[in-house]
Amino acid sequence: MDALLTVTGLTKRFSSAGPPVIDRLTFAVQRGEIFALLGPSGCGKTTSLRLMAGFERADDGHIVLDGRVLSGPHTHVPPERRGMGLVFQDYALFPHLSVLDNVTFGLRGHTKNEQREKAARALRLVGLQGFEARTPHELSGGQQQRVAIARSLAPSPRLLLLDEPFSNLDALLRQNTRSEIRGVLKQEGITSVLVTHDQEEALSFADRVAVMRHGQIEQVGTPEEVYYQPRTLFVAQFLGRTNLLFSQAQGTEADTPLGRVHLSRDARGPVLLSLRPEHVTLDAAEAYPDRPHASVIAREFKGHDITFRVEMDGSEYLVHTHNRMDFQPGDRVALCPLEPAVVLESQQPPAAPLSGVTSAEAAAS
Ligand code: ATP
């Protein structure tokens, strides 16, 4: 693999008391890759980005871009000489300048002709040709953000840093803008680092996602890897809702409150398992006389699918099914796993019985 950016042992403290805000952060971003740093508020995402951009000085560690040390024990290359483009949540456009002048602003040092050519190309890439003469207040939020992205892309940066770039857009516009911008970055092969606290944004935008906690990376992988194969309880909970099962593993299977389930890997003894709501389905209790039975306590029809809440032995579980599942509150059901349960690395056994549903909100708290 050919890494463009390598970050090694990066450490930053704002005060001498307590643990560092960024704690030996280590990762590599391949050429042309979109890499996301995903984590809850306060885990150090923006600080990491500011260290990469050169707005903060690291206390320790290295940042190397294309073989050039930008940050090291005796090196701190200033932001304007790092060759990086930056896109922020609040667009940061000059309100009194036209779209064209906003985009050419980052191209000082080029001839007028070059500026015009590069700006026109960047605006074409983000679908804003014809908008050159407008000022930012004559544009929608999505268009303003695309101008900001065009401005960052115009000087052909080696690396694009994106800090929660879509969070000011409303839901539908956010989805459309992010899929268009992803298309542009992939088409142009622009290596990018996105920081976000939004799981869906990271999973849908990035080629790989690093899940951050307390200034460190807890797991890095493709969106599918981190979602389907979380290593830890924190990652399982932060990436979406999940059912947790504390049980005894016997090799490739375990006895759980839901009955016997297959495991994602061999394990023995007490284990903590994660089973996503869409990896379980419901069937009539009579069809499974040998499995433990549950009661449906709520049914939420959402058009494209249904979320059921079921109760078994005092614990609640979540099940997402297709939209034709007809069970109603009060029905007796069996829970049938569709996928192996994921064995989590639990650093310590949970203090309280941990079976039941948990959510991203719980992980973030
Ligand atoms: P959010 O998603 O809320 O923006 P984040 O993951 O980006 O959070 P950071 O902004 O990097 O988190 O902050 C990480 C920690 O460092 C927080 O506890 C924050 O209070 C602290 N911090 C950030 N900047 C400074 C600063 N200049 N001085 C002191 N502490 C800071």
Side-chain angles (χ1 to χ4, degrees):
M1 293 280 256
D2 185 15
L4 179 76
L5 174 76
T6 55
V7 171
T8 319
L10 196 67
T11 300
K12 175 72 184 171
R13 289 175 184 277
F14 287 110
S15 76
S16 51
V21 165
I22 302 299
D23 191 1
R24 293 159 290 163
L25 191 70
T26 299
F27 63 90
V29 182
Q30 309 306 316
R31 275 172 214 281
E33 185 177 37
I34 303 179
F35 188 86
L37 291 172
L38 168 71
S41 181
C43 73
K45 304 179 296 292
T46 298
T47 305
S48 316
L49 209 73
R50 289 175 59 78
L51 286 163
M52 284 180 255
F55 298 132
E56 299 283 356
R57 275 175 186 266
D59 294 321
D60 204 356
H62 290 86
I63 300 173
V64 178
L65 183 68
D66 213 1
R68 177 175 170 230
V69 179
L70 300 181
S71 177
H74 308 291
T75 313
H76 178 80
V77 174
E80 65 279 8
R81 290 210 268 117
R82 293 199 170 198
M84 294 183 182
L86 283 156
V87 180
F88 301 103
Q89 180 177 342
D90 60 1
Y91 322 142
L93 299 177
F94 297 111
H96 57 288
L97 293 186
S98 68
V99 164
L100 184 65
D101 290 344
N102 264 287
V103 177
T104 51
F105 188 82
L107 294 168
R108 284 158 305 166
H110 290 81
T111 65
K112 278 270 172 252
N113 261 349
E114 280 173 351
Q115 288 188 2
R116 226 171 294 124
E117 262 170 41
K118 283 176 178 286
R121 176 170 155 69
L123 284 167
R124 208 167 42 245
L125 276 177
V126 299
L128 282 181
Q129 63 274 52
F131 289 73
E132 292 79 355
R134 295 208 195 171
T135 51
H137 77 268
E138 295 171 313
L139 300 176
S140 71
Q143 289 167 335
Q144 289 183 41
Q145 189 53 302
R146 283 193 265 159
V147 176
I149 289 168
R151 181 180 56 190
S152 311
L153 293 181
S156 309
R158 285 159 183 263
L159 181 71
L160 187 65
L161 303 175
L162 303 136
D163 190 353
E164 309 259 3
F166 310 113
S167 50
N168 274 349
L169 307 175
D170 66 42
L172 186 61
L173 191 58
R174 185 158 63 225
Q175 275 181 17
N176 291 342
T177 311
R178 113 182 143 210
S179 105
E180 280 170 28
I181 298 303
R182 178 181 158 79
V184 171
L185 299 183
K186 294 313 288 183
Q187 177 198 317
E188 298 293 300
I190 296 163
T191 314
S192 314
V193 178
L194 165 79
V195 310
T196 181
H197 65 275
D198 180 330
Q199 298 83 355
E200 190 184 306
E201 183 156 300
L203 295 175
S204 61
F205 193 76
D207 299 317
R208 277 190 311 147
V209 176
V211 184
M212 274 187 82
R213 182 190 196 194
H214 301 326
Q216 296 184 324
I217 290 177
E218 187 131 329
Q219 184 173 356
V220 58
T222 64
E224 283 81 359
E225 281 165 354
V226 292
Y227 184 80
Y228 288 123
Q229 299 294 330
R231 254 192 333 99
T232 64
L233 176 60
F234 174 79
V235 175
Q237 292 178 310
F238 192 70
L239 285 178
R241 310 200 99 183
T242 197
N243 296 296
L244 292 176
L245 308 167
F246 195 56
S247 62
Q248 294 291 325
Q250 295 121 19
T252 55
E253 296 192 335
D255 281 318
T256 75
L258 306 189
R260 214 163 169 74
V261 301
H262 288 289
L263 300 181
S264 59
R265 63 175 166 86
D266 256 33
R268 302 223 163 253
V271 280
L272 186 60
L273 306 175
S274 160
L275 195 57
R276 297 252 180 239
E278 65 274 27
H279 294 164
V280 200
T281 191
L282 300 179
D283 210 332
E286 311 83 78
Y288 291 87
D290 299 335
R291 288 193 82 84
H293 293 162
S295 296
V296 174
I297 52 176
R299 177 185 198 269
E300 190 189 357
F301 178 73
K302 291 175 290 173
H304 44 74
D305 60 14
I306 305 177
T307 299
F308 289 94
R309 277 187 174 274
V310 302
E311 190 268 332
M312 184 189 280
D313 294 332
S315 292
E316 269 188 31
Y317 300 92
L318 273 190
V319 181
H320 291 168
T321 69
H322 61 78
N323 58 7
R324 293 288 187 188
M325 186 68 80
D326 214 21
F327 293 111
Q328 298 296 330
D331 285 349
R332 298 286 294 163
V333 289
L335 281 81
C336 307
L338 298 169
E339 300 258 347
V342 176
V343 181
L344 300 175
E345 277 172 23
S346 62
Q347 281 85 2
Q348 58 221 21
L354 247 182
S355 290
V357 63
T358 67
S359 64
E361 299 88 71
S365 63

